[in-house]
Amino acid sequence: MSQTSAEQVSRQGTSQVSHMEAALPTYRRTFPGLPEEVRKARRFASQCLAGSATAEQVCLMVSELATNALRHSRSGHRNGHFTITITVGADHARVEVADQGSHTGSVPHLAPSSAEDESSRGLAIVEALADEWGTQNPSTVWFEVNWSPVRSFA
């Protein structure tokens, strides 16, 4: 991955990351809070996870969380932004989407929805596809996906 497509950063010293995970490659990018940036966020995730078995699922979840950041937080306002951080291991990835917080200070949560609803499905999709997910604070949603390493048979 080129430096222009993703800034690789060190996670050492971050209290939520174990010492072992601190050595894993981590990519972070901040996007302007504009609707057209959701597509760029998906492309960023795709580049970070090129070749992984779950890249398409991760891109879908990134798209949903980026859209939520624009719709439900100050990130979607003038001069707003959101940040995506992706840590990639041999058999898993952790993705964090941080926004600028809601007007009310509420924490992202699953909202009840029906089959007829055209919105309110973002976290339900994350719930269905991620192996684990949660909120780190009122403005960050994270998820993890695991995959089996590809084996070579001779």
Side-chain angles (χ1 to χ4, degrees):
M1 171 170 303
S2 72
Q3 287 299 103
T4 58
S5 62
E7 177 185 340
Q8 188 169 1
V9 297
S10 170
R11 300 266 308 212
Q12 293 177 337
T14 303
S15 61
Q16 287 98 3
V17 178
S18 72
H19 178 69
M20 192 170 183
E21 285 184 347
L24 296 176
T26 299
Y27 306 93
R28 178 177 296 132
R29 184 168 170 193
T30 298
F31 298 86
L34 302 169
E36 58 268 20
E37 296 297 316
V38 173
R39 176 177 42 86
K40 294 175 184 175
R42 281 192 308 265
R43 187 178 318 129
F44 169 71
S46 178
Q47 291 170 340
C48 291
L49 295 166
S52 84
T54 60
E56 285 185 36
Q57 292 175 337
V58 169
C59 289
L60 174 60
M61 291 185 281
V62 163
S63 179
E64 293 296 329
L65 294 179
T67 299
N68 282 359
L70 297 179
R71 281 191 176 166
H72 303 294
S73 82
R74 292 186 296 264
S75 294
H77 292 189
R78 185 174 185 203
N79 298 319
H81 65 273
F82 62 95
T83 301
I84 298 176
T85 304
I86 301 175
T87 303
V88 182
D91 61 354
H92 72 283
R94 178 184 172 97
V95 178
E96 299 173 7
V97 178
D99 61 39
Q100 292 183 283
S102 73
H103 310 288
T104 63
S106 65
V107 175
H109 61 280
L110 277 171
S113 64
S114 69
E116 293 81 35
D117 290 340
E118 292 184 19
S119 62
S120 298
R121 292 194 176 129
L123 289 179
I125 289 171
V126 173
E127 169 82 10
L129 297 178
D131 291 301
E132 293 183 56
W133 77 276
T135 57
Q136 201 163 308
N137 55 48
S139 61
T140 302
V141 177
W142 62 269
F143 65 85
E144 293 183 0
V145 293
N146 300 304
W147 59 82
S148 298
V150 178
R151 294 185 200 183
S152 173
F153 295 99

